[in-house]
Every structure is written in structure tokens, then in C-alpha cells.
Amino acid sequence: MNSLIRHKGWTWGFRTTILLYFVVLIVLPILGVYYNSFSLGLRSFTESILDPIAWKSVLLTLKLAVIAAFINVVLGTMTAWVLIRYKFPGRALLNSLVDLPFALPTAVGGLMILLLLGPGSLIGGLAESLGFEIVFHQPAIVIAMVFVTFPFVIRAVQPLLEELDASEEEAAYTMGARPVRVFLQVILPSMLPGMISGGMLAFSRALAEFGAVVLVAGNIPGRTLVSSVFIFGEVESDNPVGAAAVSILLLTLSFAILWLISLVQMRGRRA
């Protein structure tokens, strides 16, 4: 079987199939978006980008995605620490539930947030009585983004904690270092590549979230309308050029983030 796989004909066939799969499912759709955004010329593209509703939606998405990514870096690192460093009943169940946002349809996640924090719920009613509104406002968007991107930081930090050599911590304690100093100088540098790459992935994923956000945002232009919902609205309004123009901004930013993640991972391996 191995000799058959190593045959030049089989090798060429496998490579061709993989390249064709990559081109059809990834390259061609991306090129289609870029082509459509410039199909009416550079002036039309510029007008679509400079449309007040469009760029406000992009800026709002960037702001809320940064907040969600920061929350995920903090909570995700803490969760990974607990799952690796502590043994307690239900740890295996909690570890499996971390991946639930990957398996759950994002629209279901948005519905869960709506039912849990909406005006008719106990928490939503209590928040309204205190003068704080969640659903159909920016806090709900952040919660939805945090929910769908929750696993990224955890799964990026966990293997780094598992590979951490316990003798380094023991040596630091033996030399009289306090727990805070051991964490900052021994443990944190080992976790940092995972925290950065996981945070970037969470940020990139939050930029494109639609299913959970559209149910809880309210979609008010300039206030709660994020770029993914704006793109959907432009397509529904038969304006594919405007939708493609905003999509290009998100695509380009996602490419830059993926490049930075690769750079961080390469430097982490060299270290």
C-alpha cells in the first residue's frame, strides 16, 4: 500500500485534487468578492466604503470584536489554567463543553442569549430595573461574540500548559521566588504565544459573526449595526457592490491577522 501511495501518479493525483479543492472552495470565492467590489470602478468602491452607515458598521464591529477578544483572552486563559492545573468532579464534562460553540448553530446561541437576557427574562428584567439594557444594545453583541469565540484561547493555551516543564517552576520556588513572580517570569511567557494567537483568532472570528449577533443586536445603523449584518442588508437590497466593498475590508483584515498568527507561532517554536 505504501509503495502504491508513493507512486508518482498517485502523488500527482493527490496534489492535484488538494489544489483543485483549495482553488474552488477558497481562492475563487475570494477572487469573486474582490472582482465584484471593483466591477463598477474604483469610484464606486470608494463611495461604498465611505458611506456613513458602512464605515460606522465596520468601526463598531472592530471596537466590539476587540472587547470580546480581550474578554476571551482573560477568561479563556483562566479556564485553561483551571482545566489543566486542577482536578475536580465534572472536569471532563466542562472540558467537553468548551467546544460547544463550535458544534452549536450560532443562531441557536443568539436565541439562548435572547431568552436568557431579553426584556422578558429574569436577568433582563433585573438589568432594566437598574437602568441597564442588554439585548438590542452593544453589550448583547459583545456577549454573542464572546460566546461563539470562547474556545479559541482555551484550546490554544491548554497544550502550552501541558507541555510546561514542572521542574522550571520547582527551581524558581527553590530559589525563593514568590508565586506571583513565578507566574510572571516562568509560566506567563510559556502561555503568551497561545494567548496572542488565540486572541487573534477570536478577534477574526468575531468580525464575521452573523447568526448570533443578528438576533440580539437590534441592527440600528450607527449604534448596533455590525458589518456582517450590514453586508446581509446590502445583498437583500440588491447592492452586491456595497456588500463586497465592506467584505473586502474584513477579508484583508482577516488575512493580516492570519499572517500575524503564523508569525507568532513561528517565533514561539524558535523560542
Side-chain angles (χ1 to χ4, degrees):
M1 183 65 182
N2 290 335
S3 60
L4 183 62
I5 294 176
R6 291 172 184 169
H7 191 273
K8 289 184 178 180
W10 281 95
T11 302
W12 183 87
F14 283 138
R15 291 177 179 175
T16 303
T17 302
I18 293 172
L19 288 175
L20 184 63
Y21 177 85
F22 180 80
V23 169
V24 171
L25 291 184
I26 299 178
V27 176
L28 289 181
I30 292 175
L31 292 178
V33 171
Y34 278 89
Y35 172 79
N36 279 294
S37 62
F38 291 102
S39 60
L40 298 180
L42 182 61
R43 182 176 180 179
S44 177
F45 172 80
T46 305
E47 290 177 352
S48 299
I49 292 297
L50 295 180
D51 178 71
I53 298 178
W55 63 261
K56 284 182 180 179
S57 70
V58 173
L59 291 178
L60 177 65
T61 305
L62 290 173
K63 181 185 75 172
L64 299 182
V66 167
I67 295 174
F70 177 78
I71 294 173
N72 266 326
V73 168
V74 176
L75 295 181
T77 303
M78 293 172 61
T79 304
W81 178 273
V82 170
L83 290 174
I84 296 299
R85 291 301 181 101
Y86 297 97
K87 295 182 179 180
F88 52 90
R91 186 179 69 163
L93 177 62
L94 178 60
N95 189 50
S96 62
L97 288 177
V98 167
D99 294 322
L100 183 62
F102 286 153
L104 195 68
T106 55
V108 177
L111 180 61
M112 291 167 52
I113 297 171
L114 185 63
L115 295 177
L116 180 64
L117 304 176
S121 66
L122 178 62
I123 300 177
L126 180 61
E128 283 190 355
S129 65
L130 297 175
F132 183 70
E133 297 179 334
I134 302 175
V135 174
F136 308 131
H137 293 78
Q138 294 183 14
I141 302 175
V142 174
I143 293 172
M145 289 179 173
V146 169
F147 174 78
V148 298
T149 60
F150 183 65
F152 286 106
V153 176
I154 299 174
R155 294 314 187 203
V157 172
Q158 271 185 317
L160 299 179
L161 284 174
E162 291 174 346
E163 296 172 0
L164 185 62
D165 190 358
S167 62
E168 296 181 6
E169 295 181 57
E170 295 173 359
Y173 285 122
T174 302
M175 297 175 64
R178 295 182 178 181
V180 175
R181 186 174 182 182
V182 173
F183 177 79
L184 293 177
Q185 296 187 355
V186 178
I187 302 175
L188 184 59
S190 299
M191 295 192 302
L192 198 57
M195 294 169 62
I196 295 175
S197 61
M200 288 181 176
L201 284 173
F203 173 74
S204 180
R205 177 66 181 82
L207 288 178
E209 178 52 32
F210 173 79
V213 169
V214 70
L215 294 178
V216 301
N219 308 322
I220 303 173
R223 294 177 58 187
T224 60
L225 180 65
V226 296
S227 55
S228 59
V229 181
F230 173 81
I231 292 171
F232 175 77
E234 291 297 287
V235 173
E236 289 289 296
S237 302
D238 196 24
N239 183 22
V241 175
V246 175
S247 299
I248 276 186
L249 292 181
L250 300 182
L251 270 173
T252 305
L253 187 58
S254 296
F255 285 145
I257 292 172
L258 290 175
W259 178 78
L260 288 174
I261 291 173
S262 300
L263 186 63
V264 169
Q265 291 176 344
M266 290 177 59
R267 289 186 176 181
R269 294 191 191 102
R270 292 173 183 174

